[in-house]
Amino acid sequence: MSTVPLTNRDRLVAQARRLFAENGYAAVSVDEVAAAAGLTKGAVYYQFKDKTDLFRAACEAVMADVAKYVDLSTMAESPHPLEEIIVGGSKMFDAYEAADARRLLLIDGPSVLGFQQWITLQEPVCIGLIAHAMGHLAEAGLLDEAVVPTLSHLVFGAFVQGALRIAVAADPAAASLEVRAATLTLIRGFLAGIALSKPTAPS
């Protein structure tokens, strides 16, 4: 089976992603990325405005993998559409705990890209996945469809805060257990609350 050769941009993004994940944004130079990709420094600036632009492209590649993993694994394991947000939340934490996602998206991303660009980078993927799960709740009559967009942003914020807490913890494994347990409590409480508020059909 023939494979499509990587473009220079693909090669640069792949090596940037690897180097930024291993060493952090500040410790990686454009020269290092170019050398690792087997290209010249000029080739980097032909494809990207600067090092930050290259970092942003590497983050986008990581986010694409996060989205694919969360989507596929949630659909494979979610026993019922109403459980999708619980399974999806766990899978989202799994994805963010990967070394490249943790370093690029959680540790370096906010400071390198700035808060607004950092949120904008993740919105189409993570908020979209949450909105998909919330949409099932609206279809079941458990939520007003009008609140789904805002509610999806709020739930996304909770997941991101949890992921950030894990990323900067002195003991990430212990923090992960605590955050996942707290998130499960939060989501189960939310699901129980909306189930109780569902209008009942007249007898």
Side-chain angles (χ1 to χ4, degrees):
M1 181 184 295
S2 60
T3 57
V4 178
L6 293 177
T7 65
N8 285 351
R9 181 183 177 87
D10 292 336
R11 290 161 63 187
L12 289 166
V13 169
Q15 293 303 323
R17 175 177 176 171
R18 179 182 66 82
L19 290 168
F20 288 139
E22 291 175 355
N23 305 310
Y25 178 81
V28 176
S29 69
V30 169
D31 290 313
E32 285 179 272
V33 176
L39 298 168
T40 65
K41 185 175 180 178
V44 178
Y45 289 111
Y46 181 78
Q47 299 288 341
F48 304 97
K49 281 193 312 182
D50 50 27
K51 180 180 166 183
T52 301
D53 195 30
L54 175 59
F55 177 79
R56 184 181 300 106
C59 287
E60 288 170 353
V62 174
M63 280 306 310
D65 284 349
V66 167
K68 183 177 180 180
Y69 171 77
V70 174
D71 187 32
L72 293 178
S73 59
T74 300
M75 296 304 291
E77 295 185 26
S78 181
H80 188 281
L82 299 186
E83 292 290 308
E84 188 176 352
I85 192 169
I86 293 177
V87 176
S90 176
K91 298 303 178 183
M92 194 173 292
F93 285 130
D94 290 344
Y96 273 109
E97 287 180 33
D100 53 0
R102 177 176 179 271
R103 185 76 206 204
L104 274 71
L105 299 180
L106 300 177
I107 295 178
D108 288 340
S111 59
V112 175
L113 299 177
F115 180 76
Q116 188 55 55
Q117 284 194 40
W118 178 66
I119 288 293
T120 299
L121 173 74
Q122 298 173 84
E123 279 185 340
V125 175
C126 292
I127 294 180
L129 292 169
I130 293 169
H132 178 77
M134 291 292 178
H136 286 307
L137 298 177
E139 290 168 4
L142 296 170
L143 280 180
D144 180 349
E145 190 174 350
V147 307
V148 167
T150 299
L151 187 58
S152 298
H153 277 77
L154 293 174
V155 173
F156 168 67
F159 280 127
V160 167
Q161 285 299 315
L164 286 168
R165 183 177 179 85
I166 296 167
V168 301
D171 185 347
S176 179
L177 292 174
E178 293 171 2
V179 167
R180 287 168 187 263
T183 303
L184 187 59
T185 299
L186 179 68
I187 296 303
R188 281 181 171 165
F190 163 72
L191 292 174
I194 61 174
L196 287 173
S197 65
K198 181 180 179 181
T200 56
S203 56

